[in-house]
Amino acid sequence: MPTPEAPAPRSAAAPAAAARGGAGSFHTLWNELAPIGRHADSGGYRRYAWTGADADCRAWFRAQAESRGLTYEVDRNGNQWAWLGDPLAGDAVVTGSHLDSVPDGGAFDGPLGVVSSFAALDELRSRGAAFSRPLAITNFGDEEGARFGLACVGSRLAAGQLTKEKAYELRDGDGVSLPEAMERAGYDPGAIGADPERLARIGAFVELHVEQGRALDLSGDRVGIASAIWPHGRWRFDFHGEANHAGTTRLVDRRDPMLTYAQTVLAARREAALAGAVATFGKISVEPNGVNAIPSLVRGWLDSRAADQATLDTVVTAVEKAAREHADRDGIDLAVVRESFTPVVEFEHALRDEIDRILGGGVPVLGTGAGHDAGILSAAVPTAMLFVRNPTGVSHSPQEFAAEDDCVAGVLALADVLEGLACR
């Protein structure tokens, strides 16, 4: 049975490379990671969980940890950790994010937080910072959910929000289960599950992330602090009709689920606009998926998010109501399954205020509609987030972008925060 990687030995002294300040360190790290998993045709990234690209990202993370003399380990759920100080001491300050991507995603979502964490540590060492608390950098596995359809798998497992039994039911588009994928990648799926002992050792978790919106660009600020994550979820809509010949079946004789699906997509846009929320059908599966065949099944996934629970409930209920009305009219059978849900996350005010104080006060405070590992961990650990300006607001796309000067500003802000929390 394959087993997780053994902890790497920690060297006695930090290498000279780690003494570089944040700017030079960030530039080097970013350029080293950038080619991994990049698709030649789209220019986007395909770093899916437990694939070759994911393994290369994990190898890069381990190399960065070992080159800095950090204690490297992989936890029971496949999340990677790099420790400065005693991992068992408790009250640790942890930073990091994820390295996986959505299909043809951008370079910054996730990796910016991991790269900035290593660069921030290099910056602190160049300052001669003396740590009074353990510090860890982490890479949480399968945050985007691109392969198995559920976001934040690594952090959900650790926090006990995803059971081992439910995790074993997850399958990718080729029918490969999560445990099969983990085993093929050399990890032991029998070990996955809640990890309260590890989370109990964390005194604060701070995740840096590129902003997935334009609030900072509009305000002219390079760095912001997160206030809350909107409640959000994913719902699968299964529209069952009747397969038939596209050229010989009269329109009035058809039970075409594609028509019902299309009306539901329009309803989602309409209801979201009315409520001031967002609702998106971004993934679809069609059977038998032939050009000259009326579909027998159209399966679409709804992603919806809103500033509060009541608004989200209103939108999703209205979309489902519209879908059922159109299904009844079109002779279509409809099943709706909620595949995942995350309630509103209010980041701990005391930690947020302390970070603002460390950064000199007056830092913009932003809400976000995007989910993050920090949001999952917030129920068990004091968490906070920093955002780095995104001039276009584009994310989950190859056009996702942040200027290097802004990224370096994020590194320096993160270094200041880590110094304020871990070196007092």
Side-chain angles (χ1 to χ4, degrees), residues 235-239 281 298-300 302 319-320 323 334-336:
W235 289 260
R236 191 186 77 230
F237 285 62
D238 294 345
F239 300 91
F281 277 96
V298 174
R299 177 170 285 145
L302 171 69
V319 173
E320 181 174 349
L334 172 62
V336 180

Side-chain angles (χ1 to χ4, degrees), residues 137-305:
I137 297 170
T138 187
N139 167 36
F140 283 104
D142 200 5
E143 194 270 357
E144 295 290 5
R147 183 173 181 185
F148 298 103
L150 178 65
C152 301
V153 169
S155 56
R156 284 183 192 273
L157 283 168
Q161 296 182 22
L162 173 63
T163 65
K164 182 176 182 177
E165 292 72 25
K166 289 295 184 182
Y168 269 44
E169 295 174 2
L170 297 175
R171 278 172 170 72
D172 67 12
D174 296 320
V176 178
S177 70
L178 174 63
E180 288 172 333
M182 291 184 70
E183 190 168 5
R184 291 176 186 178
Y187 294 80
D188 179 11
I192 65 174
D195 202 353
E197 297 85 0
R198 179 177 296 272
L199 296 187
R201 298 185 225 144
I202 302 175
F205 176 67
V206 181
E207 180 175 3
L208 179 143
H209 204 280
V210 66
E211 187 193 358
Q212 294 167 292
R214 290 191 57 215
L216 291 174
D217 183 59
L218 294 173
S219 69
D221 295 285
R222 291 184 168 184
V223 177
I225 300 173
S227 60
I229 297 176
W230 286 10
H232 56 279
R234 297 178 182 181
W235 289 260
R236 191 186 77 230
F237 285 62
D238 294 345
F239 300 91
H240 293 270
E242 182 178 61
N244 215 326
H245 197 294
T248 62
T249 310
R250 297 190 312 160
L251 294 180
V252 295
D253 293 334
R254 300 184 181 203
R255 294 179 56 226
D256 186 351
M258 187 65 77
L259 295 178
T260 315
Y261 169 73
Q263 292 292 340
T264 305
V265 173
L266 296 174
R269 175 60 181 262
R270 180 180 66 250
E271 297 300 333
L274 289 172
V278 291
T280 308
F281 277 96
K283 179 180 178 181
I284 184 173
S285 172
V286 181
E287 296 178 11
N289 204 29
V291 174
N292 59 349
I294 299 167
S296 61
L297 170 65
V298 174
R299 177 170 285 145
W301 281 263
L302 171 69
D303 179 301
S304 189
R305 308 166 191 235

Side-chain angles (χ1 to χ4, degrees), residues 108-110 112 208-225 364-370 372 385-396 400-402:
F108 295 84
D109 182 353
L112 180 63
L208 179 143
H209 204 280
V210 66
E211 187 193 358
Q212 294 167 292
R214 290 191 57 215
L216 291 174
D217 183 59
L218 294 173
S219 69
D221 295 285
R222 291 184 168 184
V223 177
I225 300 173
V365 179
L366 317 172
T368 177
H372 302 281
M385 291 190 70
L386 296 176
F387 290 128
V388 172
R389 177 166 55 185
N390 178 342
T392 65
V394 173
S395 188
H396 285 190
E400 184 178 81
F401 178 72

